[in-house]
Amino acid sequence: MARDKKFGQRKSVKCSLCGKTFKATRYLKQHMEVHNNNNNNNNNKNKYNNKNLLKKFIKFIIKIIIIINEEFDILNYVGDKRDQKRAIHNLQNKVPDTKLAKTIILIDEGPDAVDVDNLVDDMAKDKDAFKLCGSQWGSDIDKKVAEYKRILNVKKAREEQKKKKEEKENKKYENIMKYISKFGGPQKKSDEYGNIKIKRNIIKSIAEQRKEKIVKAIENKIRDIAEEENKNKNEEEKIDINNIKLGPKEEPMVAYEADFLCPKISARQLFNQTVPDERIKKFIINYINKKYVDYPTDKEIEEYPLAYSHYTKTLSGNGLYKEKFDNLQNKILEYFENGGESFRCEYCNKYVFCKRRHCLHCKNFLKAIENDPKQLILKKYLEKNYKKIKIQEIDLILKHFEGKDPEFIKKNLPNYLKFRRQIRLRLIKKQNKKREIAEKSGIEISELPPIHFNTGLAKKLLKQITDFDNKKK
């Protein structure tokens, strides 16, 4: 009887999960480790899909969207930093807002109705029409502007005193100064708004004020159109003019009428484009609808054709919107991969905007520093959050805060890092020079030839000297 071909060979081992066969148990163990790793990854994904954790993350993303949309509101209604400084200057000096008046007249009467030359004269005559709104912002703005104006007056008085002193000193050397000024280079253009500081509360209030005026102008325009349509309709089909109010759904229409440059971010649109799982996506969108008044999605804007065409045009030429939107998408994808390690605090597990700032106010982090005499946690914090700081500099910082209370570190660490850097760099230079001198001196000593003592030669010399002395005697 013939033997089996596999007689004397080891029997193959089979995986109970996938059915693959292996020649030895060690290969099966390696294969099972792969299965275990995959199971751990699946468990982590299920962990991040947990509803309570997911709700915290959604709230975190919505907070960021609210901040970004507020920035876009200021850009739309006020403008960039230069425009914001100009707006504060105009508010202090009660200069009429020609741009806002022009946009409102364009909304009301069309582009051919504006005469820019006569517009300023009309606004200057009718001062009451362009005063601050008497709403919730009015009293606050008046107080802030009065305080800000008082500070400016004090600064101007000090500058005038300085100028008088300089004029007295320069009278003696006027002729010399004139002669030297002929050979001077090109003078820099003076920026009339350069010294004005942007107060965020005032800028927000100006944006709200302008928003109210533009929204009212658009509402009046819609009422006029509705009144004309009601003339040709029955009483049942007539539009109720009193109920015409522009809400968040109509914001794209306001953006079109006012020709805004920056559309807002929709939270539902963001999650709809980013989350791959349909079940999780539905849960997120339902949660947003319950908790947050959201900006309209692309499908909702399509109901207003003119607004949608304006929206798509502004998106195509807006790099700021793309940058913010992509950043939020990366955060969402990172959350579903690893729970958002880059924006989650290790000590309290909260989602935070800035880890560096949060840690100094985190109770768990401060406790960890207190219970760490070797300062390993503080060193890790500095290395992660201050990458431009050198290693030698970190050692000096740790020495400075060695044995200090966490409250002392919390108060003094940011100022010490910011304002004492030059002192630290000087100390590092001195240390490096000392090391260089020590290394050079060590090299010079090692380069000298070694001295060998030959005892036999010395004995011979002594004998010759003694013999010579004896011969003389």
Side-chain angles (χ1 to χ4, degrees):
M1 189 174 174
R3 288 182 178 179
D4 189 10
K5 289 180 180 179
K6 293 183 179 180
F7 181 77
Q9 294 181 4
R10 290 180 182 177
K11 290 183 180 180
S12 58
V13 187
K14 194 173 183 180
C15 177
S16 59
L17 296 171
C18 62
K20 284 186 180 180
T21 55
F22 300 93
K23 288 184 178 180
T25 53
R26 59 175 178 168
Y27 299 123
L28 178 63
K29 285 179 181 177
Q30 290 173 4
H31 175 72
M32 290 302 292
E33 284 177 3
V34 175
H35 277 303
N36 292 328
N37 290 329
N38 290 331
N39 289 328
N40 289 330
N41 291 331
N42 291 327
N43 291 330
N44 288 332
K45 286 179 181 177
N46 292 327
K47 181 185 173 183
Y48 303 136
N49 294 341
N50 185 12
K51 287 183 180 180
N52 293 327
L53 192 65
L54 189 58
K55 284 176 184 177
K56 288 179 182 178
F57 175 70
I58 294 163
K59 285 178 183 177
F60 169 69
I61 294 292
I62 286 170
K63 280 180 185 177
I64 298 171
I65 290 169
I66 289 166
I67 291 163
I68 292 167
N69 286 342
E70 280 181 0
E71 287 177 11
F72 288 168
D73 256 342
I74 288 166
L75 283 170
N76 288 329
Y77 288 101
V78 185
D80 59 4
K81 287 185 178 179
R82 186 175 175 77
D83 293 326
Q84 290 170 27
K85 287 181 178 182
R86 191 186 292 112
I88 291 171
H89 177 267
N90 293 342
L91 191 68
Q92 289 162 3
N93 297 297
K94 295 183 180 178
V95 177
D97 194 345
T98 53
K99 284 186 179 179
L100 180 62
K102 189 175 178 181
T103 51
I104 289 168
I105 291 165
L106 281 168
I107 290 162
D108 285 340
E109 300 177 9
D112 299 326
V114 180
D115 186 4
V116 179
D117 297 327
N118 297 324
L119 184 65
V120 179
D121 296 331
D122 295 334
M123 290 170 70
K125 288 174 187 175
D126 189 10
K127 291 179 181 178
D128 295 329
F130 296 96
K131 279 185 180 177
L132 297 169
C133 288
S135 61
Q136 58 182 345
W137 297 100
S139 60
D140 292 337
I141 297 173
D142 291 334
K143 286 177 184 177
K144 287 170 184 174
V145 171
E147 287 176 7
Y148 195 67
K149 212 170 183 181
R150 183 181 60 76
I151 292 161
L152 283 175
N153 289 330
V154 172
K155 284 183 180 178
K156 282 180 183 178
R158 286 176 182 172
E159 285 175 1
E160 285 175 2
Q161 286 178 358
K162 282 183 181 179
K163 282 180 181 179
K164 285 178 182 179
K165 286 181 181 178
E166 286 175 0
E167 284 174 3
K168 286 178 181 179
E169 290 174 358
N170 291 331
K171 275 181 183 179
K172 297 176 183 178
Y173 308 102
E174 274 183 1
N175 295 326
I176 298 165
M177 293 295 286
K178 283 178 184 178
Y179 181 74
I180 291 165
S181 64
K182 290 178 184 179
F183 303 98
Q187 293 181 354
K188 292 181 180 179
K189 292 181 180 179
S190 59
D191 187 5
E192 54 184 340
Y193 306 115
N195 296 324
I196 296 169
K197 290 183 179 179
I198 295 169
K199 299 268 182 173
R200 189 157 181 84
N201 292 331
I202 295 171
I203 291 298
K204 275 188 180 181
S205 60
I206 290 166
E208 285 289 327
Q209 176 193 343
R210 291 181 178 179
K211 189 175 183 179
E212 284 175 10
K213 287 183 179 179
I214 289 169
V215 168
K216 281 177 185 177
I218 295 165
E219 283 177 356
N220 291 330
K221 185 180 179 182
I222 294 164
R223 284 194 187 96
D224 293 337
I225 295 163
E227 281 177 1
E228 287 180 3
E229 288 180 358
N230 285 342
K231 289 176 183 177
N232 301 321
K233 288 182 179 179
N234 299 325
E235 290 184 1
E236 294 178 355
E237 295 177 350
K238 282 182 180 180
I239 300 163
D240 189 0
I241 295 163
N242 296 322
N243 290 331
I244 292 170
K245 287 184 180 179
L246 298 175
K249 287 184 180 179
E250 290 77 27
E251 279 189 31
M253 199 69 199
V254 178
Y256 164 71
E257 290 285 342
D259 195 21
F260 287 151
L261 299 172
C262 225
K264 291 183 180 178
I265 293 172
S266 169
R268 291 171 296 161
Q269 185 68 36
L270 176 69
F271 282 103
N272 196 21
Q273 280 185 221
T274 312
V275 179
D277 193 348
E278 290 295 327
R279 185 176 60 82
I280 297 166
K281 194 188 291 182
K282 284 179 183 177
F283 171 79
I284 291 167
I285 289 165
N286 289 330
Y287 183 77
I288 291 166
N289 288 331
K290 287 178 185 177
K291 299 289 182 181
Y292 173 57
V293 180
D294 193 22
Y295 187 77
T297 59
D298 292 354
K299 287 184 180 179
E300 290 170 350
I301 297 168
E302 282 180 6
E303 294 175 8
Y304 308 101
L306 292 170
Y308 187 70
S309 64
H310 178 270
Y311 174 76
T312 50
K313 282 177 186 176
T314 50
L315 278 181
S316 62
N318 198 314
L320 183 63
Y321 178 92
K322 187 180 182 301
E323 184 187 339
K324 301 286 185 185
F325 196 88
D326 290 348
N327 189 16
L328 289 169
Q329 277 191 320
N330 291 332
K331 278 182 169 31
I332 292 165
L333 292 170
E334 188 183 341
Y335 168 80
F336 286 108
E337 283 178 7
N338 57 18
E341 288 180 3
S342 66
F343 51 89
R344 189 178 63 181
C345 179
E346 299 172 10
Y347 302 95
C348 64
N349 290 323
K350 287 182 181 177
Y351 297 108
V352 293
F353 301 113
C354 180
K355 273 188 177 183
R356 176 174 54 80
R357 196 181 301 150
H358 166 80
C359 282
L360 293 176
H361 300 279
C362 179
K363 292 179 180 178
N364 295 337
F365 176 75
L366 296 172
K367 281 181 183 177
I369 287 172
E370 194 175 7
N371 298 324
D372 182 30
K374 293 182 179 180
Q375 294 182 305
L376 296 173
I377 293 167
L378 188 59
K379 187 179 180 182
K380 188 181 175 183
Y381 166 78
L382 292 168
E383 287 172 351
K384 275 190 175 181
N385 298 298
Y386 297 92
K387 292 181 180 178
K388 291 182 179 179
I389 292 176
K390 297 176 182 179
I391 296 167
Q392 289 177 329
E393 206 174 342
I394 288 169
D395 294 335
L396 290 172
I397 293 160
L398 293 172
K399 280 181 184 177
H400 182 77
F401 289 100
E402 192 176 1
K404 304 284 179 164
D405 294 330
E407 287 295 324
F408 179 84
I409 294 167
K410 174 184 170 180
K411 288 178 182 177
N412 297 306
L413 181 63
N415 291 327
Y416 182 77
L417 292 172
K418 191 174 182 181
F419 299 111
R420 298 289 183 91
R421 197 180 180 193
Q422 290 181 352
I423 297 165
R424 290 196 299 274
L425 293 172
R426 284 172 193 167
L427 288 168
I428 289 165
K429 279 184 181 179
K430 285 180 182 179
Q431 287 177 358
N432 290 335
K433 281 181 181 178
K434 285 179 181 179
R435 283 177 186 173
E436 285 176 6
I437 291 162
E439 285 174 1
K440 283 180 181 178
S441 63
I443 290 162
E444 286 170 3
I445 291 161
S446 64
E447 284 176 353
L448 291 170
I451 298 165
H452 297 287
F453 293 97
N454 194 341
T455 55
L457 182 65
K459 284 178 181 179
K460 286 177 182 178
L461 288 167
L462 284 168
K463 279 182 181 181
Q464 286 177 3
I465 292 160
T466 52
D467 292 340
F468 182 75
D469 290 335
N470 291 326
K471 282 179 183 177
K472 279 185 177 181
K473 289 176 182 179

